[in-house]
Amino acid sequence: MATARRERYRKQTREEAKAVALAQLSESGTAGISVNAIAKSMGMTGPALYRYFASRDELLTELITDAYRDLAEALARAVADAVPADRFRALALALRDWAKRQPDRYLLIYGTPVPGYHAPPETIEIAAGMMRTIVDACATVAGAGAGAGAGAGAGAGDASGGDGATMSGEQPLTELEAALARHLEGAGPWVAGEEPGGELKGRALRTWTRLHGVISLDVQGQFTGMGFDPSVLFEAEIDALVRGG
């Protein structure tokens, strides 16, 4: 019984510390997160709080992992709740909605890297899982697997390298295909049961970069004063990606 109480108290203390850290993040960014300041806000000493988090980096890891996991779950729910034809759009809108509701957490994982901080393997695995969700959503877009449209199979960023190489093993993997394959290893089974080809993975990567490009600028207020609603631009980007452009 005493052990259970201690564990509950430990969990409560850690959760309270993370909540205070998120408030610091909102006020001052990652540079403003201080274990001693958090402890003072909680009525504790710095050394006492270090019994719950061995270092500032451990606390940051908790915040980053929580954010990644929360976003991954939001994207998975959005895809699961949508009919196949709507999954791509549902995923894109869920990504923007999460970022707009929690801009500080979004920038924590997709903003400027924290100097000297190295993400643990767990966050990389969660990120790979999210990329798999994006790949599966891209597969529901008409013509995604067949390379419909000039943009789906051409250009410098194309995962197929423009030479028809695939993930089937019949032709050598391009450098980008190989890197994507390594990143997605061990992130769980594919929804369709069969691993998709390199072109589809490349499409997913382009989707990821283009959606995050608009979202990042929006979250940081870079569209302010430009005279248009950023959501309209985001919808236009979704439409372009659906068309393969």
Side-chain angles (χ1 to χ4, degrees), residues 158-234:
D158 183 13
S160 68
D163 60 2
T166 70
M167 297 292 289
S168 65
E170 296 177 0
Q171 297 185 45
L173 298 178
T174 66
E175 183 178 351
L176 179 55
E177 286 173 353
L180 282 168
R182 288 193 299 271
H183 177 62
L184 295 170
E185 284 177 356
W190 293 100
V191 170
E194 183 177 345
E195 185 169 342
E199 194 283 328
L200 181 55
K201 289 180 179 178
R203 183 186 181 104
L205 182 60
R206 294 193 298 275
T207 294
W208 183 80
T209 57
R210 287 172 63 173
L211 294 182
H212 277 297
V214 177
I215 291 171
S216 295
L217 291 171
D218 189 6
V219 166
Q220 295 179 78
Q222 298 299 322
F223 296 126
T224 301
M226 294 185 69
F228 61 84
D229 182 350
S231 65
V232 176
L233 174 62
F234 192 71

Side-chain angles (χ1 to χ4, degrees), residues 115-127:
Y117 177 81
H118 299 286
E122 184 178 3
T123 62
I124 298 173
E125 292 168 5
I126 297 171

Side-chain angles (χ1 to χ4, degrees), residues 97-123:
D97 178 68
W98 190 91
K100 293 289 286 182
R101 286 187 292 103
Q102 307 181 79
D104 299 314
R105 295 181 82 195
Y106 175 82
L107 292 175
L108 176 63
I109 56 179
Y110 291 117
T112 304
V114 180
Y117 177 81
H118 299 286
E122 184 178 3
T123 62

